[in-house]
Amino acid sequence: METNIDDLSFHLSALKTTSSEIPILDNREPISTFSLPSMSSCPMAADGSNHLLVYHHHALLLFHLPKFELLFSISLIPFIENPISDICYYSILNCFLVSSSNTLYSLSSSRQIDIIHKFSNTIWSITHTSNYIFLCYLFGFSIEQWEFNSSNGTLLNTWPKANLIESSDMGINCIRAVNQYIGMTIKQNDFSWRIDLFDISAMNRLRRGRTIQQENNLKNWIGLLYPIDHFRWLFADGDQGLFLIDQTDQQEYKQIDIKKLACNICLIKNINSKTYSSIVIQSYESLHLYNLQ
């Protein structure tokens, strides 16, 4: 059941970024580039201090921005046997969280990799907001809400796939949280995408996204998401492009083309002004940093 967003009294994002601050990037030159051949939606995430963690060819690479200074590269063999499915920054423990198969790991600034928890299913996507970590299993088989302290984790809620998406949908590819909201990229039965918005308390759907069509019947499975704020999301769909999806007005959704090619994206904040200062865009061969200010 959908909920009227106007009835909610959550404190919304303090970010001052407006749609105009995410410009069309195809005609802009990046301020820095780092070559990483044979990339295709490699998991990556940034912290609050201009550090970017990227998984590439069985290694974790930590960069310092804006010049993509490589601080270290850790080969995951023998630490982690399976490919990395997703990465997020976990501000509670000041570390990155990395998911692989059914296991959640932490990576600290000292380069130490520790097991946070082993779960019952294969982890597909992870996100963090407030004190909670949300896990999406097996292309949306279910979503769980967890709370962790220094010694163990507590499962708070489980939502099965049938409670989240429609019967004609294929599954959930990417979940991303901002404040009290979670956005999900949902693959529809005609292979097109949409972005649905949920509250984190009861996982009620607040917005049902409009269909994001793919040209030439391409069946692209990238479909990665990054929040600007609670109603505006960047959506990367590989060679289908990078889009700004604005769902602020429930009656008039907006879709703005930002770039023709984007396999993953990450916004970098200016801590002092509380705005986004730059954007990292992942192509098939490189990482590119664009200035937004």
Side-chain angles (χ1 to χ4, degrees), residues 12 40 50 53 67 96 130 144 179 185 212-213 215 217 245:
L12 303 181
S40 181
N50 291 327
L53 184 67
K67 295 184 177 180
F96 287 97
S130 301
E144 291 182 349
N179 296 315
T185 60
I212 304 171
Q213 294 290 354
E215 296 181 3
N217 295 319
I245 308 296

Side-chain angles (χ1 to χ4, degrees), residues 138-153:
L138 295 171
F139 198 40
F141 173 78
S142 65
I143 288 179
E144 291 182 349
Q145 179 186 23
W146 287 77
E147 188 171 29
F148 288 90
N149 56 35
S150 58
S151 59
N152 54 47

Side-chain angles (χ1 to χ4, degrees), residues 130-185:
S130 301
N131 295 322
Y132 309 122
I133 295 171
F134 292 86
L135 307 174
C136 176
Y137 292 123
L138 295 171
F139 198 40
F141 173 78
S142 65
I143 288 179
E144 291 182 349
Q145 179 186 23
W146 287 77
E147 188 171 29
F148 288 90
N149 56 35
S150 58
S151 59
N152 54 47
T154 302
L155 175 61
L156 302 178
N157 286 298
T158 300
W159 297 277
K161 180 179 180 179
N163 290 2
L164 299 170
I165 63 177
E166 298 167 7
S167 58
S168 60
D169 294 328
M170 298 175 66
I172 301 166
N173 189 58
C174 178
I175 61 171
R176 293 291 182 260
V178 55
N179 296 315
Q180 304 298 314
Y181 306 90
I182 286 186
M184 304 181 191
T185 60

Side-chain angles (χ1 to χ4, degrees), residues 81-105:
E81 296 180 356
N82 297 296
I84 300 301
S85 58
D86 207 359
I87 302 173
C88 74
Y89 181 69
Y90 187 42
S91 57
I92 302 298
L93 297 180
N94 190 28
C95 68
F96 287 97
L97 298 180
V98 177
S99 61
S100 175
S101 185
N102 68 335
T103 306
L104 189 65
Y105 300 86

Side-chain angles (χ1 to χ4, degrees), residues 60-247:
L60 287 171
L61 289 70
L62 184 68
F63 297 95
H64 186 266
L65 302 174
K67 295 184 177 180
F68 288 110
E69 176 189 359
L70 183 59
L71 300 180
F72 63 74
S73 174
I74 299 177
S75 175
L76 295 184
I77 301 173
F79 301 106
I80 303 175
E81 296 180 356
N82 297 296
I84 300 301
S85 58
D86 207 359
I87 302 173
C88 74
Y89 181 69
Y90 187 42
S91 57
I92 302 298
L93 297 180
N94 190 28
C95 68
F96 287 97
L97 298 180
V98 177
S99 61
S100 175
S101 185
N102 68 335
T103 306
L104 189 65
Y105 300 86
S106 66
L107 173 65
S108 66
S109 58
S110 63
R111 311 186 190 187
Q112 182 172 338
I113 297 176
D114 293 316
I115 294 177
I116 295 290
H117 198 80
K118 287 184 177 291
F119 300 89
S120 57
N121 291 297
T122 299
I123 303 170
W124 198 269
S125 184
I126 60 175
T127 191
H128 154 65
T129 187
S130 301
N131 295 322
Y132 309 122
I133 295 171
F134 292 86
L135 307 174
C136 176
Y137 292 123
L138 295 171
F139 198 40
F141 173 78
S142 65
I143 288 179
E144 291 182 349
Q145 179 186 23
W146 287 77
E147 188 171 29
F148 288 90
N149 56 35
S150 58
S151 59
N152 54 47
T154 302
L155 175 61
L156 302 178
N157 286 298
T158 300
W159 297 277
K161 180 179 180 179
N163 290 2
L164 299 170
I165 63 177
E166 298 167 7
S167 58
S168 60
D169 294 328
M170 298 175 66
I172 301 166
N173 189 58
C174 178
I175 61 171
R176 293 291 182 260
V178 55
N179 296 315
Q180 304 298 314
Y181 306 90
I182 286 186
M184 304 181 191
T185 60
I186 295 172
K187 197 71 168 176
Q188 302 181 134
N189 61 354
D190 62 354
F191 294 97
S192 61
W193 292 102
R194 75 171 189 274
I195 298 169
D196 286 3
L197 178 67
F198 297 78
D199 71 87
I200 69 169
S201 59
M203 212 58 78
N204 292 319
R205 187 169 69 179
L206 307 173
R207 290 283 195 271
R208 184 191 188 277
R210 302 285 175 83
T211 295
I212 304 171
Q213 294 290 354
Q214 294 185 311
E215 296 181 3
N216 302 320
N217 295 319
L218 293 175
K219 298 176 175 61
N220 199 326
W221 288 84
I222 291 178
L224 295 176
L225 200 58
Y226 198 97
I228 297 175
D229 56 31
H230 52 290
F231 283 142
R232 294 176 300 138
W233 303 80
L234 288 172
F235 176 76
D237 197 14
D239 52 14
Q240 295 294 288
L242 173 64
F243 309 100
L244 170 59
I245 308 296
D246 188 339
Q247 299 180 339

Side-chain angles (χ1 to χ4, degrees), residues 5-17:
I5 189 66
D6 295 328
D7 293 336
L8 300 177
S9 58
F10 295 127
H11 175 67
L12 303 181
S13 172
L15 290 172
K16 305 172 185 176
T17 303

